[in-house]
Amino acid sequence: MYCLHLLRCPVCHTAMEREGTILRCAHSHTFDIAKEGYVNLLRKKLAGDTKEMVQARRSFLERGSYQPLADTLNTLVSTYLHEQTSPINVLDAGCGEGYYLGRVQQSLPQQSCLLGLDVAKDAVRMAAKRYPSSSFVVANLKEQLVLADECIHVLLNIFAPRNPVEFARVMVPSGRLIVVIPGVEHMAQLRSTLPLLQIEENKQQHVVEQFAPYFTLLDVVPVSYELDLRGEEVQQLVMMTPNYWHLSDEARMAMNAIQALRTQIAFLCLVFEKKK
Ligand SMILES: [Zn+2]
């Protein structure tokens, strides 16, 4: 746990210290550090992405299918870094199995602190095993975050729950928030073939309004390309998203019957600066 100084107890929100294989706060709430190095700070068990979803996502991402997005995020973080003089703290809120944080690490100065939070324990375990120089925590993004005030310089929020009040609390003034949402054309060909969840209308506007009290929108960076998928990759792409929970038997059969498909991939990176 390299970022221990950033963490706060989920019960009483005081700082924590490490004692062997546990973390202990000032009021003696204790949390075990898993052998993979992550810590579980969930106050009660919550259902996150399943192991099957996490494994589908890792297989899909490791082939580089979303690398253009990872590259864009690295560029955005590097741009911010040029304005900084010292190492920075990066939080991936909703880090999943760690792919994007692992990529961002490559463009950061040493001694930077990388922290990933996710509600899915299976995802956090996989992330901690793969990226041992980052810190990973099982935590709920929808309640008070297990982090100190004003300690995060860059916050990534990639297809994950958004908590504007808490994101603002944990970020330094003028810190950079990058929210990634699907573009309107995302998976268009796949959507026209299978009955998948629809992308919320006016999502971009909705997200900007959500963050407007605390953040100024600096830029909207689209990432768009076409991707050739084999059958197995189609299944992974569907199963790594919330479609996993909503697929009928009929839709699943239709999905499994697809041999190959070329589909549009489209993301929007919304770049915000925290208001002073
Ligand atoms: Zn405590």
Side-chain angles (χ1 to χ4, degrees):
M1 296 299 296
Y2 302 94
C3 305
L4 181 56
H5 60 291
L6 306 181
L7 294 181
R8 291 293 176 266
C9 172
V11 183
C12 65
H13 304 287
T14 60
M16 295 191 285
E17 287 189 1
R18 182 171 183 157
E19 291 175 10
T21 58
I22 63 164
L23 299 184
R24 184 191 298 275
C25 77
H27 297 105
S28 287
H29 300 119
T30 59
F31 306 91
D32 293 333
I33 301 169
K35 68 175 191 302
E36 294 88 352
Y38 71 92
V39 62
N40 187 341
L41 297 182
L42 266 189
R43 298 176 67 186
K44 58 175 188 284
K45 257 195 173 172
L46 283 170
D49 292 349
T50 67
K51 209 170 202 170
E52 194 184 5
M53 292 171 84
V54 175
Q55 271 160 356
R57 188 172 307 140
R58 169 151 287 172
S59 302
F60 185 85
L61 293 174
E62 293 231 310
R63 267 193 302 270
S65 303
Y66 280 3
Q67 195 180 327
L69 173 59
D71 292 345
T72 302
L73 291 172
N74 283 11
T75 303
L76 292 171
V77 173
S78 298
T79 307
Y80 173 77
L81 278 175
H82 292 144
E83 302 164 15
Q84 303 302 311
T85 51
S86 47
I88 64 165
N89 302 326
V90 179
L91 171 67
D92 187 350
C95 63
E97 48 71 58
Y99 174 78
Y100 298 103
L101 206 54
R103 293 298 174 284
V104 162
Q105 188 173 14
Q106 298 165 359
S107 59
L108 290 180
Q110 280 187 349
Q111 293 156 357
S112 292
C113 195
L114 289 101
L115 181 66
L117 300 188
D118 203 286
V119 74
K121 191 171 158 185
D122 288 320
V124 168
R125 184 189 294 121
M126 279 175 79
K129 270 171 114 165
R130 177 64 59 91
Y131 307 105
S133 56
S134 298
S135 300
F136 293 95
V137 177
V138 187
N140 187 354
L141 294 178
K142 293 178 182 171
E143 53 186 34
Q144 185 169 2
L145 297 182
V146 290
L147 290 170
D149 293 346
E150 299 195 353
C151 64
I152 300 296
H153 300 85
V154 172
L155 197 158
L156 306 174
N157 181 237
I158 306 162
F159 320 122
R162 296 178 290 274
N163 188 338
V165 176
E166 279 296 293
F167 288 2
R169 180 183 67 80
V170 302
M171 286 180 69
V172 300
S174 303
R176 212 58 109 235
L177 165 68
I178 304 171
V179 181
V180 180
I181 59 172
V184 177
E185 293 296 306
H186 187 52
M187 293 163 62
Q189 292 83 345
L190 201 50
R191 277 172 213 290
S192 64
T193 311
L194 296 174
L196 301 182
L197 298 172
Q198 290 304 306
I199 294 168
E200 182 192 333
E201 246 181 88
N202 303 321
K203 181 152 188 148
Q204 179 181 343
Q205 190 190 340
H206 173 66
V207 173
V208 171
E209 281 169 8
Q210 254 189 319
F211 284 102
Y214 319 97
F215 294 89
T216 307
L217 181 67
L218 297 180
D219 204 359
V220 179
V221 181
V223 179
S224 181
Y225 53 97
E226 290 196 339
L227 194 61
D228 282 311
L229 301 170
R230 291 178 289 119
E232 183 196 26
E233 293 160 345
V234 169
Q235 291 158 32
Q236 287 164 352
L237 178 55
V238 173
M239 300 315 270
M240 67 191 237
T241 69
N243 287 294
Y244 174 89
W245 306 105
H246 302 276
L247 217 55
S248 67
D249 290 346
E250 202 178 335
R252 190 180 293 262
M253 278 166 62
M255 174 182 78
N256 291 341
I258 297 174
Q259 301 284 325
L261 184 90
R262 186 175 180 82
T263 194
Q264 186 69 33
I265 297 296
F267 309 111
L268 293 171
C269 302
L270 311 182
V271 185
F272 296 90
E273 182 179 63
K274 187 185 157 188
K275 291 180 180 172
K276 291 196 181 96

